[in-house]
Amino acid sequence: MKHISLILLLLLSLFTKAQNAQKAQEKFSQGYDTKNVALMDVGADEYIKYNSDNSFGYIFKAFAAISKNDLTTAKRYAKTANQMFPMESANYTLASYIAFLEGNTSEASKLMHYAFQLSPDVKGAASTKEELDILAELTGKDFSALKTIAENAEKATPGAIQNFNNYNACVGQWYEGKSCDPSQYLKVWASYSPSNPLLKDFANATQAIAYYYAGQFDLAKPKLEEAINSQHLNPYTKALCFERLTWYDRYDLNKTFLYANKGLAEIDKLGFPTLTKADLLFRKSQIVGDMGKRDEMLQLAQELLALATELGNDYHIINANNLIGAYYVMKPGSNSTSLANKHLGEAYVLASKRNFEDQKMKAAGNYAVVQFKIGNRSKAIELNNEVYDYHLKTENWSSAQTAANNIGFMFYMKNDYANAAEQFQKAVDITEQFLPKFSTKEQLSARNLHASAYSGLIMSLQKLGNTNELFKVQDMNRSRILRQKLDKNLPQITLPQVQAKLQPHEAIIYYSNGEPGQMIATIITKSSADIVEHFPVNAWLNMKKQYINNIQKKPNSINGYVTKLNEEIINGQIYRHSDPKTAFKAEDYRDFVALSREVMEVSDAQFLDLQQKILKHWYYFLMQPLEAKLVGKTTLIISAEGELNAMPFEAFLDSNGKYVLERFNVKYMPSASVWASLSNRNYSEDRKPLLAMGGATYKEPQSSASNSRSTQSYFELQDQLTTKINNKQSNLSKELAALGFGGANYLPGTLREVQNLKKIIPEATVLIDGQMKESDIKRLNKSGELNQYKYVHIATHGFASNSIPELSGVMMTQPANGDGSEDTFLLAHEIAQLDLKADLAVLSACETALGKNYNGEGVNGLNSALLVAGANSTLLSLWPVNDAGTMILMTETYNNLYVKKMSAEDAVNTAKRTMLSGVYGEQFQTPKIWAPFVLSGK
């Protein structure tokens, strides 16, 4: 092993500078020279401890194990060495020794040839013979035949040493960011027999990693992506490539989660603790934290802390403590604050000691929050200002944005709203400065992550009473991607411009969420603009006790004691909130929205009382504070935010038991800027009246397929879908089938629905069954006929995905023999590519108004797709709809549109009021039937 030790010594002096590892290597060398196997063993163990990610420690351990005739241990360590670095000749030499001792001469010969193909040793077979002589003495085995194999291998690999050295010079060029073509060296290796299949993939991956380290990130990325799909790449290097890729597309959390997960799966194949595993754990914990999965983040951070402690790696000890501390910062209770203080304090002190300035500032940002919580508010602000200044200086814009956001909330909690607004504005400005550099998908994720700064600014401006600025930020914080897709040169509308477009009977209500349970609204009429805030915390806490705690399986009493409104039971202990507002959390609000939707989707008499209580609460929360401002108005144009996008405001009940629908026409808009853009988009009146599709036939629905999938499998499918969509592939049958999409039950009401529309509008074009395939609508689009209709109506099954936004769409007819190259599902991205010139597009199907809700953007789904395609207004559904009830609602709507010449707004709202009146019977009066369909757009 002397020639290996010399190479190792060079590596240590050039790269690791690890004094302890050098001493361990020297200890092994001493054991080797004196044939002291125990000393070799100790040296190998210590080397692995101090330099876990270097294959030489495993080589040393394998050699020591062979010396003891412990082939099981030898095989394990030799395998790990090769899984780490398959371009090292000593790996194959050791593997050859082991195969020979196991009686597998042909395998020993192959591996010995691999060793000499990569040998840097000018002594060649002589060095191998020296090692075999030592092993013969230590093991008592006869290696004469293996010596002959080594001699033959050396003869069979002419020019190998020069080829290997030339290749290494090429690698050096890559690490300097320079180009160097390795093909000639790979050709030499490929010419040898037997040929090592690992070398080409490893060389390509090495080039990717070298470019990454040299800062040539654009060159590195495609090579890293190629490497992770390599058939023969060793697990350690593949894990390295996955880890590097997690730093690309950082706002595409699903993709980076996949990379981290797959990297961990590769590194776990080694079965030893490594720094690369720590790197991957760190990235995964960051990613799941950004996803909002804070409990999973804690679990990963604790695993990282244990691993980093075992490895003695201060860098990741700091990172782990920072993540754990950040978790407890957000938890209620003095014990959580104490844990946050402990972990963040340890991270800060260790980072300061090691002069890890970046890690110190990351810890300082969270540590400042702890200081604020325990009452050291001035110190907290001072510390966070230091963090902000540092990140600005180092041009770490994302961290600077977070720091400014944190300072903003600290000032807000001190009731210093002017300074809070200034800090939030800084955070918003940073986001706005860098968003144009991102792709659409990255912008969505970035806005989602940075949304709290916009919310904080809105909350501060409400306190300051600055209506114009408040409206500007509200409009800035929704439907930005949609606005760009409609017209990338479209400027943001101003408050006076909005007022100029309004009719005297109209009012726009811009809703924003503040703290959980807090509503901030800007009410805009032609002649006025006002801010209204409502935070009925006691009403929310009553709802929490009555309903939400039951959903969350949380008790309201313990040992006979019934908790008060500002109290809750956490881990069997009563926790008392000094400020009742903190007792109502974002999770509580989300669960109440889910409950509200659930009770609106049923019509059973046993749920009527619950439904009315909940709908009255929503009116009290969102509408009652605005009543004085809405006198004389008959039309409400609502722009909601967050979970409110899934709520039908017309179904809320006032204190007299009257629905909002009974007093107002209600319609929705993604944002005022989008609304203004659509209001300027006018089409010729010389169009055909209606294209209606219904009565689709489907394959038999899947009866036993399970839709239960892991997070990773969902993200993998999303990645596959995104790749196909980006490559303009229209058939996604494989991915859809994997998610359980297949056939469906026939909907006879959809056929009657479009037949009724034909009776109302004789000139209508009605396509049914075999005429409403996916290929048919795309053919109409290609021919230009699709853009000739004033109204476009599709009645069928619909679906939306809140986890995979690409999977929102409608089902078209599914012929027995398929639909050519189409998958029979018309998805959102395909709808967006249609050319419509419709005043109204209707998807008469289930949940077509839903999709993935992004903070800072809104719902990304079919509504946006139809508006981008050219529809000026849409009529879509918020939940699974009743077949017969939908047929009646649509018949009434089109009768109002065509026969009574109403506007879309009047037609839809009048149709809903007709159903509410009981004309069609009691079963169609319930909000379950008429409330899900919401009118949005122009």
Side-chain angles (χ1 to χ4, degrees):
M1 303 296 283
K2 284 185 177 179
H3 57 290
I4 295 175
S5 299
L6 290 172
I7 295 168
L8 175 59
L9 187 59
L10 176 63
L11 287 169
L12 285 169
S13 63
L14 288 176
F15 300 114
T16 67
K17 305 294 186 182
Q19 188 176 10
N20 288 330
Q22 287 185 29
K23 289 179 179 178
Q25 180 264 323
E26 290 165 4
K27 190 175 289 186
F28 176 86
S29 296
Q30 184 183 353
Y32 180 86
D33 291 338
T34 60
K35 301 182 181 62
N36 184 335
V37 177
L39 190 59
M40 282 194 280
D41 222 14
V42 171
D45 287 335
E46 290 181 1
Y47 190 93
I48 292 170
K49 176 182 177 182
Y50 296 121
N51 206 349
S52 62
D53 286 53
N54 191 304
S55 64
F56 283 102
Y58 303 90
I59 292 171
F60 294 164
K61 187 70 175 177
F63 187 86
I66 294 172
S67 301
K68 296 187 291 184
N69 285 312
D70 182 358
L71 296 187
T72 301
T73 301
K75 287 174 70 174
R76 181 186 177 209
Y77 282 87
K79 178 182 177 182
T80 300
N82 207 49
Q83 286 177 322
M84 278 191 163
F85 193 70
M87 197 75 82
E88 169 52 53
S89 64
N91 298 342
Y92 301 103
T93 306
L94 286 169
S96 177
Y97 298 169
I98 294 166
F100 180 80
L101 290 171
E102 289 182 326
N104 192 339
T105 306
S106 61
E107 181 70 9
S109 176
K110 181 186 78 173
L111 292 168
M112 190 65 77
H113 278 73
Y114 288 174
F116 276 90
Q117 291 168 17
L118 299 170
S119 177
D121 188 359
V122 294
K123 292 178 62 178
S127 290
T128 304
K129 290 177 181 179
E130 288 176 12
E131 285 183 3
L132 290 174
D133 286 339
I134 293 172
L135 285 177
E137 183 178 343
L138 293 172
T139 63
K141 306 292 184 182
D142 181 6
F143 289 98
S144 300
L146 190 56
K147 289 180 183 180
T148 302
I149 289 173
E151 290 171 352
N152 292 335
E154 183 177 28
K155 293 174 184 175
T157 52
I161 295 173
Q162 186 61 47
N163 189 65
F164 183 78
N165 291 335
N166 289 341
Y167 167 77
N168 276 336
C170 200
V171 172
Q173 294 284 302
W174 296 337
Y175 272 96
E176 292 177 7
K178 301 175 183 177
S179 62
C180 180
D181 184 5
S183 59
Q184 56 184 315
Y185 315 123
L186 294 173
K187 279 182 182 177
V188 171
W189 282 324
S191 69
Y192 294 139
S193 180
S195 175
N196 188 339
L198 303 181
L199 301 185
K200 181 180 178 181
D201 286 351
F202 182 78
N204 290 337
T206 300
Q207 188 174 15
I209 294 167
Y211 279 154
Y212 183 93
Y213 277 114
Q216 300 285 343
F217 301 119
D218 290 340
L219 290 174
K221 187 181 181 183
K223 292 187 175 295
L224 289 169
E225 290 172 333
E226 180 184 352
I228 61 173
N229 294 308
S230 299
Q231 181 180 358
H232 297 295
L233 188 60
N234 58 303
Y236 181 85
T237 306
K238 189 172 281 192
L240 273 179
C241 293
F242 276 119
E243 194 275 337
R244 300 300 178 263
L245 282 168
T246 66
W247 296 100
Y248 292 91
D249 305 316
R250 291 176 64 181
Y251 290 108
D252 188 344
L253 298 178
N254 294 357
K255 178 181 281 188
T256 51
F257 175 90
L258 270 179
Y259 286 151
N261 242 21
K262 290 182 176 181
L264 285 167
E266 290 295 326
I267 203 68
D268 281 341
K269 292 176 182 177
L270 272 66
F272 290 95
T274 61
L275 179 58
T276 297
K277 180 169 184 177
D279 291 338
L280 285 159
L281 281 173
F282 175 50
R283 286 298 293 133
K284 186 176 178 182
S285 59
Q286 287 182 309
I287 293 161
V288 298
D290 287 341
M291 287 176 164
K293 301 177 180 180
R294 298 193 62 81
D295 289 341
E296 187 176 350
M297 181 193 80
L298 174 65
Q299 181 182 352
L300 289 164
Q302 289 171 333
E303 186 179 350
L304 173 62
L305 181 58
L307 176 58
T309 302
E310 181 181 358
L311 294 172
N313 185 273
D314 287 346
Y315 175 80
H316 280 309
I317 290 173
I318 295 166
N319 287 330
N321 275 311
N322 193 23
L323 288 164
I324 295 168
Y327 172 85
Y328 285 112
V329 161
M330 306 305 295
K331 300 289 283 185
S334 57
N335 186 52
S336 292
T337 302
S338 176
L339 286 168
N341 196 33
K342 171 184 178 296
H343 286 282
L344 293 170
E346 289 177 5
Y348 186 80
V349 169
L350 183 55
S352 301
K353 179 181 176 182
R354 294 299 309 275
N355 292 321
F356 291 167
E357 203 64 20
D358 277 351
Q359 275 59 45
K360 176 184 172 182
M361 289 297 113
K362 286 177 183 177
N366 288 317
Y367 194 46
V369 178
V370 177
Q371 294 303 306
F372 192 88
K373 287 183 73 173
I374 63 179
N376 298 331
R377 295 189 168 190
S378 297
K379 179 181 178 181
I381 292 171
E382 179 184 345
L383 193 57
N384 231 330
N385 275 318
E386 181 187 350
V387 174
Y388 175 75
D389 290 341
Y390 172 80
H391 289 309
L392 275 187
K393 181 181 177 182
T394 57
E395 298 185 353
N396 186 339
W397 305 113
S398 180
S399 295
Q401 195 273 354
T402 300
N405 185 48
N406 288 345
I407 300 168
F409 275 109
M410 289 176 185
F411 277 120
Y412 186 88
M413 297 299 290
K414 290 180 67 177
N415 300 325
D416 186 347
Y417 303 120
N419 273 318
E422 181 182 346
Q423 295 298 326
F424 287 128
Q425 188 66 59
K426 285 181 182 178
V428 167
D429 288 345
I430 290 172
T431 302
E432 292 296 320
Q433 180 182 355
F434 287 94
L435 275 179
K437 301 177 182 179
F438 296 157
S439 68
T440 297
K441 193 167 186 177
E442 287 172 333
Q443 285 189 46
L444 284 170
S445 294
R447 286 197 173 282
N448 199 48
L449 289 173
H450 294 179
S452 65
Y454 293 82
S455 296
L457 184 54
I458 287 167
M459 291 160 61
S460 301
L461 292 170
Q462 178 268 314
K463 293 291 187 182
L464 296 170
N466 193 331
T467 309
N468 279 281
E469 282 300 308
L470 175 59
F471 166 76
K472 177 182 175 181
V473 180
Q474 285 181 308
D475 191 70
M476 187 188 295
N477 195 35
R478 62 191 73 188
S479 298
R480 292 283 292 281
I481 302 298
L482 174 57
R483 194 208 312 173
Q484 291 172 25
K485 288 182 177 180
L486 290 172
D487 182 355
K488 58 181 162 184
N489 298 316
L490 181 71
Q492 184 181 359
I493 196 169
T494 65
L495 186 54
Q497 289 171 334
V498 171
Q499 291 179 293
K501 286 184 173 291
L502 282 170
Q503 299 299 314
H505 67 279
E506 295 176 325
I508 286 177
I509 309 175
Y510 242 59
Y511 285 101
S512 292
N513 301 314
E515 298 178 57
Q518 180 188 30
M519 172 273 285
I520 298 170
T522 304
I523 307 127
I524 307 167
T525 67
K526 196 164 189 66
S527 59
S528 66
D530 298 279
I531 302 170
V532 174
E533 183 263 356
H534 196 208
F535 199 167
V537 65
N538 285 342
W540 278 116
L541 291 176
N542 272 312
M543 287 291 162
K544 181 174 180 176
K545 280 193 174 294
Q546 290 182 60
Y547 308 117
I548 300 170
N549 281 349
N550 187 47
I551 294 170
Q552 297 173 353
K553 298 181 180 178
K554 293 181 179 177
N556 287 323
S557 63
I558 185 171
N559 298 328
Y561 177 81
V562 179
T563 56
K564 299 182 176 66
L565 286 182
N566 68 326
E567 297 173 338
E568 60 181 325
I569 299 169
I570 301 176
N571 297 327
Q573 300 292 321
I574 297 171
Y575 180 76
R576 185 172 292 107
H577 295 267
S578 57
D579 183 353
K581 292 177 182 178
T582 63
F584 191 76
K585 303 177 182 67
E587 177 190 8
D588 302 326
Y589 183 73
R590 288 192 295 268
D591 285 344
F592 189 76
V593 171
L595 174 64
S596 303
R597 284 175 48 79
E598 189 175 340
V599 299
M600 281 191 283
E601 291 178 28
V602 299
S603 55
D604 296 356
Q606 61 178 322
F607 295 111
L608 182 60
D609 182 60
L610 173 61
Q611 183 186 86
Q612 291 185 344
K613 283 182 179 178
I614 288 176
L615 293 178
K616 284 183 176 180
H617 175 80
W618 281 111
Y619 184 90
Y620 166 69
F621 174 47
L622 295 171
M623 299 296 298
Q624 186 171 305
L626 316 182
E627 286 180 340
K629 310 291 183 184
L630 298 176
V631 174
K633 306 304 173 189
T634 58
T635 295
L636 305 182
I637 307 171
I638 292 170
S639 180
E641 184 179 66
E643 289 83 358
L644 291 179
N645 282 308
M647 298 295 291
F649 284 63
E650 54 264 62
F652 298 161
L653 283 168
D654 66 18
S655 58
N656 298 315
K658 296 289 187 182
Y659 290 104
V660 170
L661 177 69
E662 297 179 73
R663 289 176 53 199
F664 301 101
N665 278 354
V666 179
K667 57 184 180 180
Y668 302 83
M669 64 179 186
S671 74
S673 290
V674 169
W675 170 73
S677 174
L678 297 175
S679 68
N680 294 328
R681 191 165 70 180
N682 298 303
Y683 299 129
S684 167
E685 288 300 317
D686 186 23
R687 286 169 292 162
K688 299 176 184 179
L690 171 67
L691 171 66
M693 296 182 172
T697 53
Y698 318 102
K699 294 178 180 178
E700 286 295 315
Q702 296 181 4
S703 57
S704 58
S706 171
N707 290 332
S708 176
R709 306 187 68 84
S710 67
T711 301
Q712 176 164 332
S713 64
Y714 260 115
F715 291 168
E716 286 174 343
L717 281 168
Q718 183 178 14
D719 193 46
Q720 292 165 17
L721 284 164
T722 303
T723 300
K724 281 192 171 183
I725 290 168
N726 290 341
N727 292 335
K728 302 191 182 329
Q729 293 175 257
S730 62
N731 194 311
L732 307 177
S733 299
K734 179 182 175 182
E735 291 75 20
L736 290 164
L739 288 164
F741 287 86
N745 294 319
Y746 179 64
L747 297 173
T750 63
L751 177 59
R752 294 194 296 271
E753 184 177 316
V754 296
Q755 288 173 336
N756 285 345
L757 301 187
K758 179 71 172 177
K759 293 175 184 176
I760 296 167
I761 309 175
E763 300 92 343
T765 299
V766 175
L767 303 178
I768 62 172
D769 192 11
Q771 298 172 306
M772 64 167 292
K773 301 185 298 297
E774 183 183 2
S775 58
D776 291 322
I777 197 167
K778 289 183 177 179
R779 174 179 49 78
L780 292 174
N781 184 63
K782 188 175 182 179
S783 70
E785 183 178 348
L786 192 61
N787 67 18
Q788 297 177 24
Y789 292 95
K790 190 173 184 180
Y791 309 123
V792 174
H793 183 104
I794 301 177
T796 183
H797 281 289
F799 49 91
S801 172
N802 60 7
S803 57
I804 304 180
E806 293 83 358
L807 282 184
S808 294
V810 291
M811 294 181 68
M812 308 302 283
T813 281
Q814 297 179 322
N817 296 322
D819 185 18
S821 63
E822 306 298 342
D823 53 34
T824 73
F825 295 89
L826 189 63
L827 301 177
H829 71 281
E830 296 173 305
I831 291 173
Q833 293 167 7
L834 299 176
D835 179 20
L836 301 178
K837 287 184 171 60
D839 293 343
L840 178 66
V842 181
L843 297 184
S844 181
C846 298
E847 299 184 331
T848 48
L850 300 181
K852 185 171 177 63
N853 195 358
Y854 289 93
N855 292 324
E857 177 67 21
V859 176
N860 185 19
L862 295 171
N863 184 60
S864 297
L866 286 165
L867 295 178
V868 170
N872 278 337
S873 295
T874 64
L875 187 60
L876 309 176
S877 65
L878 290 170
W879 56 72
V881 295
N882 176 276
D883 197 22
T886 300
M887 179 190 68
I888 295 170
L889 178 66
M890 294 303 168
T891 302
E892 281 289 329
T893 295
Y894 280 96
N895 189 61
N896 294 337
L897 275 172
Y898 192 75
V899 178
K900 299 181 180 180
K901 306 300 181 185
M902 292 183 184
S903 66
E905 169 199 322
D906 286 330
V908 173
N909 282 276
T910 301
K912 290 182 177 184
R913 283 191 279 268
T914 299
M915 298 187 76
L916 180 60
S917 71
V919 168
Y920 290 102
E922 185 178 347
Q923 71 270 32
F924 297 120
Q925 284 183 286
T926 173
K928 172 188 176 181
I929 304 298
W930 52 262
F933 284 98
V934 290
L935 180 68
S936 178
K938 185 170 179 176

